[in-house]
Amino acid sequence: MRFVHETLCQRVVFAPGSAAEAVHDEVGSSRVMLIGTRLDVPAVLRWDEVVMHVPVAVAERARAAAAARQVEVIVSVGGGSATGLAKAVALTTGLPVVAVPTTYAGSEATNVWGLTANGRKTTGTDPRVLPRTVVYDATLTATLPTELAVASGLNALAHCVDSLWAPRADPINAALAGEGIRALMAALPDDREQMFYGTYLAAVAFASAGSGLHHKICHVLGGMFGLPHAQTHAVVLPHVLALNAPGAGGRITLDELQDLRRRVDAPRALRDYGFEEDQIPAAVEAILPVVPDNNPVPVNAGNLKQLLHDAWEGTR
């Protein structure tokens, strides 16, 4: 038992049916920038330009607007793209963020930021981007289509699974990830409150453990080829688990994941989301340099190319 574990400091509020009131309690009379879906919260700036993978140009426009309106706190309401934009503004301004998720992206519980420019997604960690408070209100997911709930929930599950072999994996992260796996697999796709519970555990484990092979692959695919975030994670996860199964510690098996995917009719193939077969070599070239050194199975051009081809084709 020799390891170093870091726990991030954050306030988490579960407020079913009362997100607006909970947010008001957190921000008081501060000058609010509201990013994403409208919520009944007074704001000096309402910002609805939210783009997947947070292009740098969008972040710069949001930062300029926040400065011009003398914003004091950012409230993000929406999925990972809304949270990601709030983080991008916080990264350079130091403004506190109150995150109100409406999907299971999990970004709200991490200090990870991501920005995309020239077809390449850059990620990093910074304490300034960790939301000061997260408000979970499952009623806000009422209009989330089942298909997207499934993809987003599998994205949350990927945070758990990747945490089992990520660069800073440790027994505490494994315990959080194990409970997150249990909650998410039982709740998908309809128990939205339990989904938020599992999502939070998954994100806390991921924030501490870091990005493993799965996330390195998906960040490249999203940044280079503009693939949708949640669906990409949902498609790629079983293929990474098939490769890395010895590192999962028995907390989830490939058969269990495949059974879940059949039950919820999960996204199956990257080609369904615009990824072309002839793009695989470029993806392999971009992924190989960022493969974590401690991945439980050696990764080379051959097995990575096969993994991506299987994910493109939708091979079981």
Side-chain angles (χ1 to χ4, degrees):
M1 295 287 284
R2 184 182 296 274
F3 63 91
V4 175
H5 178 84
E6 183 174 351
T7 300
L8 301 178
C9 182
Q10 185 180 62
R11 178 175 166 86
V12 180
V13 179
F14 272 72
S18 55
E21 294 88 340
V23 169
H24 184 270
D25 289 343
E26 298 300 318
V27 303
S29 59
S30 300
R31 294 176 62 85
V32 171
M33 176 183 190
L34 184 61
I35 293 177
T37 306
R38 293 185 180 273
L39 194 67
D40 188 17
V41 176
V44 299
L45 175 61
R46 294 181 181 269
W47 190 266
D48 58 8
E49 186 187 13
V50 177
V51 182
M52 187 172 59
H53 303 303
V54 194
V56 169
V58 174
E60 289 176 345
R61 286 194 288 272
R63 291 164 178 166
R69 298 305 299 270
Q70 298 180 312
V71 167
E72 296 172 332
V73 60
I74 307 163
V75 175
S76 66
V77 185
S81 297
T83 308
L85 180 59
K87 287 181 168 185
V89 176
L91 181 64
T92 57
T93 64
L95 290 171
V97 176
V98 175
V100 186
T102 60
T103 70
Y104 313 118
S107 177
E108 67 276 1
T110 80
N111 60 351
V112 179
W113 56 267
L115 290 164
T116 302
N118 302 318
R120 191 168 295 272
K121 186 170 185 176
T122 301
T123 62
T125 60
D126 194 295
R128 290 176 294 182
V129 309
L130 177 70
R132 180 181 68 191
T133 302
V134 182
V135 175
Y136 288 113
D137 179 355
T139 64
L140 296 180
T141 69
T143 58
L144 184 67
T146 298
E147 181 180 352
L148 183 53
V150 166
S152 187
L154 288 169
N155 178 22
L157 189 65
H159 288 134
C160 293
V161 177
D162 222 17
S163 297
L164 298 173
W165 52 60
R168 299 185 302 276
D170 64 40
I172 297 173
N173 295 328
L176 292 167
E179 172 62 5
I181 289 170
R182 184 205 63 77
L184 290 166
M185 291 188 70
L188 263 168
D190 297 322
D191 189 339
R192 304 295 174 92
E193 197 162 84
Q194 284 294 305
M195 286 296 299
F196 271 148
Y197 167 64
T199 294
Y200 176 71
L201 294 175
V204 171
F206 175 71
S208 177
S211 293
L213 176 64
H214 173 84
H215 279 77
K216 295 299 185 182
I217 291 172
C218 292
H219 285 164
V220 168
L221 294 176
M224 286 187 71
F225 308 108
L227 302 187
H229 184 82
Q231 291 85 347
T232 300
H233 281 269
V235 170
V236 170
L237 178 60
H239 301 284
V240 178
L241 181 57
L243 179 70
N244 274 354
R251 285 179 169 81
I252 182 172
T253 68
L254 186 58
D255 285 343
E256 288 171 330
L257 178 59
Q258 295 289 51
D259 287 345
L260 173 67
R261 288 171 53 80
R262 281 194 294 270
R263 175 168 64 82
V264 300
D265 193 20
R268 180 179 175 187
L270 291 179
R271 61 182 175 183
D272 295 337
Y273 301 99
F275 188 55
E276 303 291 343
E277 186 175 16
D278 61 7
Q279 293 173 321
I280 292 175
V284 169
E285 185 178 352
I287 293 166
L288 279 176
V290 297
V291 171
D293 294 336
N294 71 326
N295 195 66
V297 173
V299 177
N300 53 51
N303 60 12
L304 182 56
K305 181 179 179 182
Q306 186 63 56
L307 185 156
L308 290 175
H309 189 273
D310 290 345
W312 167 81
E313 190 174 39
T315 303
R316 188 182 188 281

